[in-house]
Each structure stands twice: as C-alpha cells, then as structure tokens.
Amino acid sequence: MIKILTIIGARPQIIKAAALSRAVRDRFVDAVQEKILHTGQHYDDNMSAVFFDELGIPRPDYNLGVGSCGQGVQTARMIEGIENVLQSEPFDGVVLYGDTNSTLAGAVAAAKLHVPAFHVEAGLRSFNMAMPEEINRIVCDHLSSILFAPTETAVDNLRKEGLDSDSARFDRGRRRLVCFAGDIMYDNSLYYGSIAEKGSNILQRLGLESSNYVLATVHRDFNTDDPLRLESIFTALFHIAEERKTKVVIPLHPRTRKMLSGDSGKNLYDRLLNSDHISVVPPVSFLEMIVLEKNSAIVMTDSGGVQKEAFFYQKPCLILRPETEWVEIVEQGAGVIADADFERIVAAYDSFCGKPVHFPHLYGDGDASGKILETIVDYLK
Ligand code: UD1
Ligand code: UDP
C-alpha cells in the first residue's frame, strides 16, 4: 500500500482531484491510501466547499487556511504549511494539479524534502512569462518526478525543455518519467456530464433556453486587473447581448466581481445587474456549470478548464486571452483567440454563429485517473 498526499487549493484543482479520488475509491483501494491537503487558496463556499459536497470528495485531512494575499506571501505560507505536514507524517509522494500557487508550493516543499512529486497537467505552456501560472508550471515540471501530460503538445513542450524521461535523478536513484495520460478533466466531463442534468433546474432558474445563450467566464489577472482590458471585454459582452439579442450568462469569479464593482470597474457591475439580456450570477457548482456548458450556443472564456469543457461538450469557444496552452482547440477551428479586443470578440462571435465546427478526440480515452494511479503505483514499487 502506498500513501499519497493530494495537494489542492483552487477551484479547478478540487474538481480535478474528484476524478482521482473516485478512481482510488473504486479501483485502487487496496493499493493506494490518499490523504488530502487543502491550502485554503480558495475558501468561499461556492469556490471550495460546494465541490467537496457535490462531487463526494473526502474532506481534507489538512487545511492550511492560507487565504488571499500577495503572490509571494501566499506561496511562502503554503510552502511552510505543506513542509510541516510532510515532516509530521510520511508520504510516498504528493500529487499536484495544474499551475496555481498551491501547485508551486507543493512542488517546492516536496522537492526539498525528497518526496516524489507527481504533476498532473504537466507540459502546458503559454510562453507568456507575465502569467503567474506559466512560472508555476515551469518550476513544478522541473521539480516533479512524474510528469503527466494531458496532450501530445504538452509532451513535446516537455521534450523541448529537456524534460523527457530519464532527464533527472531523484532520491534513491529514481528517474524522471514523462507519461501521456490524457486529460483528467475529460474523465470528469464524461462521468459528471452524464448525470449533471438530472434534477438540475438552473436553465429555468436563469430563464435560459437551450442552445440560445452565451456562457461567459472571466477571471485571469491580466483581464481583471487591467481596467482597459476589463472594460473592453465587458463592453463586447454588452454589445453581443444587446445588439445581437442574445442572452449572456456570467457566473462571476469573486476576483472579477471585486474589480467590476471597484473604482476601476466604471460602474460595469451595476450595468450588468441592470441589463435585461445579461444574467450575472455568483460562481455555480460544477454540475450546474456542466449544464450551462452543455446547453450553451457559444462559450466565451479566459479559463483553461472552461475552454476544454466547451470542446468536450462540442461548443465553439471564444478565448479571451492573447494565447492559449490548449492550442489544439484553436488548430481544430473549435476555438478562436479574441484576446480582450472588442472588434475581435464581436467578429469571432459573428463568425461562429451557424458555422459547423469539428470536435475530434484529442484528450485521451477518458481514464487519465486510472493511468495516473497505475503509473504512480508502478513507479513507487
Ligand atoms: C487562481 C489561480 C489561477 C486559476 C484560478 C482558478 C494562481 C496564481 N492563480 O486565480 O491560475 O485559474 O485560481 O479560479 O494561483 N477570492 C475570493 N474568494 C475565494 C477566492 C478568491 O473572494 O474563495 C478573491 C480574493 O479577492 C482574491 C482573488 O479572488 O484576492 C484572487 O484569488 P487567488 O486565489 O489569488 O487567484 P485567482 O484569480 O482565483
Ligand atoms: N467552474 C465551476 N463553476 C463556475 C465556474 C467554473 O464549477 O462558476 C468550473 C469549470 O467547469 C471548470 C473549472 O471550474 O471545471 C475551471 O476553473 P477556473 O475557470 O476557475 O480556473 P482555470 O481552469 O482557468 O484554472
């Protein structure tokens, strides 16, 4: 029996961890014991607790309660807390997800204590070093023992950085391993996609008609913290809602809500609340989000996870960023990079209306969790 520590902190990591925890419970219960550490990076009920309840994730064994603070302070507090846990109880390895500050902290703490780190979603690159996430990914990949890449592009990115299998020796002579596992979010989309609509009334509650609305999310710091970009994106959403007579639904991240309501938000939040064509709602649960994604006409987002879920549920996606790590979506013509540019957003919206789009299988076979657990068990033998 091996013992792993899953380190999570932000919304998308909690959701990803649900897939692995489910696989541990259903198929690896005799081989793997999992404990969960929550850094507390996200803490509102609708950014954290809701996912544990809804997705049946075991309650965290540890919660560091770090909360919101500057990048350096937040990461430092997490490293300290994770180090304490790793010193208080032996673990055979830690599982890290994605590219948040919680991921970075887990990688640094584990590497310094010679605890193998297993990075799920390794190899993604935006090549934009202004993103805190890009820094987190690069450091985490370089410190991790097993790199679980979700796409072939991610495998290539790792190779180009010299991070192929055998590129490093870790404690006890163990070598680095690069593994194409497929995307763990795809596991979730298949599993929860088949049950999300049962009993959900979110469409009725928000007055939405299936295939007749745009689903939008915005939370990236370079969009929320830059008043011009924020204004440009939301002006484009107003334009599409009002001029194209399309309902737009926006589950609003707390970061974005804060900026829209603040001085730099230019009353955009009040305008959103008063619009007949726009529904701004607090963050929704994962099952509700799936229902919103599956029934939308078009998705507009700067989120990594939402870009992919749009693809899994065969919805065209307008990417509110200057680039994406999920380049396949754009290469397939299922996504368009519109950045925060009013003209490009409106033009991309118009170009998608009624256009046939293809969604080939690109993200593995839907059992990334099984592959990840098998590989970890084998590696630690
Ligand atoms: C973080 C990740 C980002 C990920 C996103 C998922 C980093 C550097 N960024 O960004 O990669 O895409 O999570 O959603 O790790 N807040 C609340 N309540 C909460 C959580 C946050 O009000 O429960 C507000 C606070 O004002 C906080 C702000 O949101 O300062 C930003 O939170 P933070 O976790 O620092 O970054 P995210 O923008 O959420
Ligand atoms: N999500 C959710 N409720 C919301 C918005 C998003 O459950 O109100 C889910 C979404 O379906 C996806 C994940 O959160 O699985 C994406 O997280 P986020 O956009 O916060 O971060 P990113 O993926 O960009 O790191």
Side-chain angles (χ1 to χ4, degrees):
M1 175 77 93
I2 62 161
K3 190 162 88 169
I4 56 171
L5 181 67
T6 290
I7 298 180
I8 54 181
R11 167 170 68 188
Q13 298 170 320
I14 303 169
I15 294 170
K16 287 165 202 167
L20 203 85
S21 289
R22 196 173 59 248
V24 169
R25 277 197 310 277
D26 293 352
R27 289 180 281 156
F28 289 82
V29 74
D30 297 329
V32 178
Q33 182 194 356
E34 181 192 33
K35 287 204 170 186
I36 297 178
L37 181 152
H38 192 326
T39 62
Q41 177 169 351
H42 286 175
Y43 44 85
D44 289 345
D45 280 355
N46 59 21
M47 295 294 287
S48 176
V50 65
F51 304 109
F52 288 89
D53 297 338
E54 182 176 70
L55 309 180
I57 308 167
R59 289 278 141 191
D61 300 278
Y62 299 97
N63 194 326
L64 304 181
V66 163
S68 302
C69 34
Q71 296 276 325
V73 175
Q74 188 181 53
T75 311
R77 287 185 185 150
M78 290 175 188
I79 293 174
E80 183 183 14
I82 296 167
E83 186 173 75
N84 286 339
V85 169
L86 291 177
Q87 282 173 327
S88 70
E89 188 179 343
F91 286 95
D92 297 303
V94 300
V95 180
L96 307 168
Y97 293 95
D99 52 22
T100 71
N101 289 346
S102 301
T103 318
L104 172 67
V108 173
K112 296 274 177 127
L113 293 173
H114 306 168
V115 179
F118 311 129
H119 187 201
V120 178
E121 271 195 6
L124 295 177
R125 295 291 182 268
S126 64
F127 303 101
N128 176 356
M129 290 301 289
M131 289 178 74
E133 292 85 356
E134 185 75 354
I135 299 165
N136 296 345
R137 292 176 194 130
I138 291 173
V139 176
C140 182
D141 282 342
H142 280 256
L143 297 179
S144 294
S145 297
I146 312 184
L147 302 177
F148 290 110
T151 60
E152 296 290 359
T153 310
V155 175
D156 280 349
N157 289 338
L158 292 170
R159 200 173 295 134
K160 284 180 197 148
E161 267 171 48
L163 290 175
D164 40 8
S165 286
D166 289 352
S167 61
R169 300 274 186 281
F170 291 92
D171 193 37
R172 290 185 247 168
R174 285 196 181 112
R175 290 157 183 224
R176 172 175 286 130
L177 205 62
V178 174
C179 169
F180 170 67
D183 193 329
I184 199 158
M185 298 282 289
Y186 186 42
D187 297 18
N188 270 339
S189 291
L190 293 176
Y191 184 81
Y192 294 110
S194 65
I195 56 174
E197 275 157 312
K198 289 184 195 128
S200 168
N201 66 356
I202 186 149
L203 296 186
Q204 294 90 306
R205 233 168 58 224
L206 301 181
L208 301 170
E209 209 177 292
S210 186
S211 305
N212 212 6
Y213 63 90
V214 171
L215 172 66
T217 77
V218 179
H219 76 274
R220 293 283 168 190
D221 62 350
F222 51 78
N223 285 332
T224 60
D225 299 7
D226 178 333
L228 290 179
R229 290 180 67 91
L230 192 67
E231 187 181 6
S232 180
I233 289 173
F234 279 89
T235 308
L237 292 176
F238 279 120
H239 184 86
I240 288 165
E242 282 155 18
E243 299 300 320
R244 302 293 186 270
K245 305 274 179 271
T246 305
K247 186 108 182 184
V248 178
V249 58
I250 312 174
L252 204 59
H253 190 290
R255 170 180 210 123
T256 321
R257 183 188 164 149
K258 210 189 219 171
M259 298 313 279
L260 287 170
S261 342
D263 290 344
S264 58
K266 301 197 175 149
N267 298 325
L268 281 168
Y269 190 60
D270 289 340
R271 258 187 83 192
L272 285 168
L273 292 183
N274 290 327
S275 166
D276 288 339
H277 301 281
I278 296 188
S279 285
V280 178
V281 292
V284 295
S285 78
F286 185 50
L287 296 186
E288 286 178 331
M289 188 65 181
I290 290 176
V291 175
L292 290 176
E293 288 167 342
K294 284 180 87 171
N295 288 282
S296 65
I298 291 179
V299 172
M300 300 192 188
T301 190
D302 60 7
S303 156
V306 177
Q307 276 176 62
K308 269 179 306 156
E309 285 162 358
F311 189 87
F312 300 151
Y313 298 127
Q314 310 208 338
K315 304 298 171 185
C317 183
L318 226 144
I319 300 164
L320 304 170
R321 292 184 40 185
E323 74 281 305
T324 179
E325 303 80 32
W326 304 100
V327 291
E328 300 79 7
I329 295 176
V330 177
E331 285 162 8
Q332 291 301 325
V336 167
I337 301 228
D339 204 357
D341 182 313
F342 177 91
E343 304 291 342
R344 284 169 73 186
I345 295 171
V346 175
Y349 171 81
D350 287 339
S351 78
F352 265 141
C353 289
K355 184 177 138 192
V357 179
H358 301 290
F359 301 90
H361 285 284
L362 297 172
Y363 293 98
D365 61 6
D367 188 25
S369 320
K371 235 168 251 111
I372 288 167
L373 287 170
E374 260 168 39
T375 308
I376 292 174
V377 169
D378 197 47
Y379 184 83
L380 291 174
K381 247 194 249 158

